[in-house]
């Protein structure tokens, strides 16, 4: 290239379309979105939303034609006992119109309810009941907040990380009483630490190896 010749400007890399989408959502939510991140090497869009603004944000994501998240595919929760608001309630949304997904996250503690989104996606009752049953998160406005995976007399919420492994009761059929009855939890085996190495990984020496090593050091016999 000649000395007086100007080098062509480099074309900037195109911005991730999920980042563009997340920024548009945050702008439309007018401050209710506290954080927009991309996870799994930029393949998943995650929005963190203020708990009190959950319904307006979800209504926006459902009704706005730019986003059009017609389906709530799942609601789950994650427990972080060390945090003041220990539970992250996670909503996985799908837009069939635009073929994109977003994960919406709000946080809460053991006592503060989260607004139910059943008025936006009527099919989420099952998911909210499951989160209540497993973690104890209360959903305000959910009229059918019953246990769904444990039995009706179960105490506690088994997916909390501080839930004890023993000391509770289990439901089983009693042959003597000829009916379903409660009884103390019985562990069929003791807790064990498992070694997941295969036999070939765990076995560092095999019978006969000492002869091979000796031949390498002294050379084969004449």
């Amino acid at each position: 290239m000649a000395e007086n010749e100007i080098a062509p400007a480099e074309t900037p890399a195109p911005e991730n379309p999920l980042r563009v989408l997340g920024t548009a959502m945050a702008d439309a939510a007018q401050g209710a979105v506290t954080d927009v991140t991309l996870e799994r090497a930029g393949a998943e869009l995650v929005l963190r939303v203020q708990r009190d603004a959950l319904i307006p944000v979800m209504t926006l994501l459902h009704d706005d034609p730019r986003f059009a998240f017609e389906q709530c595919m799942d609601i789950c929760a994650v427990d972080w006992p060390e945090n003041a608001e220990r539970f992250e309630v996670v909503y996985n949304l799908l837009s069939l119109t635009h073929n994109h997904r977003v994960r919406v996250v709000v946080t809460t503690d053991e006592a503060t309810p989260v607004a139910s989104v059943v008025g936006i996606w009527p099919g989420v009752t099952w998911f909210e009941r499951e989160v209540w049953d497993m973690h104890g998160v209360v959903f305000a406005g959910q009229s059918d907040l019953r246990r769904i995976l444990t039995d009706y007399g179960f105490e506690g919420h088994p997916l909390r990380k501080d839930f004890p492994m023993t000391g509770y009761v289990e439901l089983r059929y009693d042959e003597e009483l000829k009916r379903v009855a409660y009884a103390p939890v019985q562990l069929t085996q003791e807790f064990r630490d498992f070694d997941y190495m295969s036999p070939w990984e765990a076995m560092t020496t095999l019978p006969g190896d000492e002869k091979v090593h000796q031949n390498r050091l002294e050379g084969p016999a004449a």
Side-chain angles (χ1 to χ4, degrees), residues 112-171:
T112 308
V114 176
S116 172
V117 296
V118 70
I120 305 172
W121 296 284
V124 302
T125 293
W126 180 287
F127 303 136
E128 291 181 346
R129 285 179 61 186
E130 184 176 1
V131 173
W132 151 249
D133 192 5
M134 296 290 102
H135 292 274
V137 175
V138 178
F139 291 92
Q142 173 53 258
S143 60
D144 191 19
L145 205 59
R146 297 174 295 148
R147 291 191 180 271
I148 193 170
L149 296 179
T150 59
D151 62 278
Y152 296 114
F154 192 87
E155 297 181 13
H157 304 281
L159 286 189
R160 289 187 177 184
K161 291 182 180 177
D162 54 6
F163 184 79
M165 296 298 294
T166 60
Y168 280 83
V169 295
E170 62 183 352
L171 195 66

Side-chain angles (χ1 to χ4, degrees), residues 25 47 49 53-64 67-76 89-97 100-106 114-129 139-144:
M25 293 177 185
L47 300 184
V49 176
L54 178 64
I55 295 302
V57 171
M58 291 303 207
T59 302
L60 170 73
L61 297 181
H62 180 272
D63 295 345
D64 194 315
F67 314 131
F69 286 98
E70 301 96 343
Q71 295 187 8
C72 180
M73 304 302 297
D74 182 38
I75 302 175
C76 57
V89 183
V90 183
Y91 301 80
N92 295 296
L93 308 183
L94 169 66
S95 172
L96 298 174
T97 301
H100 51 225
R101 299 174 183 267
V102 64
R103 187 158 68 247
V104 178
V105 181
V106 298
V114 176
S116 172
V117 296
V118 70
I120 305 172
W121 296 284
V124 302
T125 293
W126 180 287
F127 303 136
E128 291 181 346
R129 285 179 61 186
F139 291 92
Q142 173 53 258
S143 60
D144 191 19

Side-chain angles (χ1 to χ4, degrees), residues 195-204:
D195 182 1
Y196 293 100
M197 295 181 69
S198 72
W200 298 111
E201 294 171 322
M203 188 179 297
T204 57

Side-chain angles (χ1 to χ4, degrees), residues 79-84 86-87 160-162:
D79 183 16
W80 304 98
E82 65 277 9
N83 296 342
R86 62 185 292 180
F87 300 113
R160 289 187 177 184
K161 291 182 180 177
D162 54 6

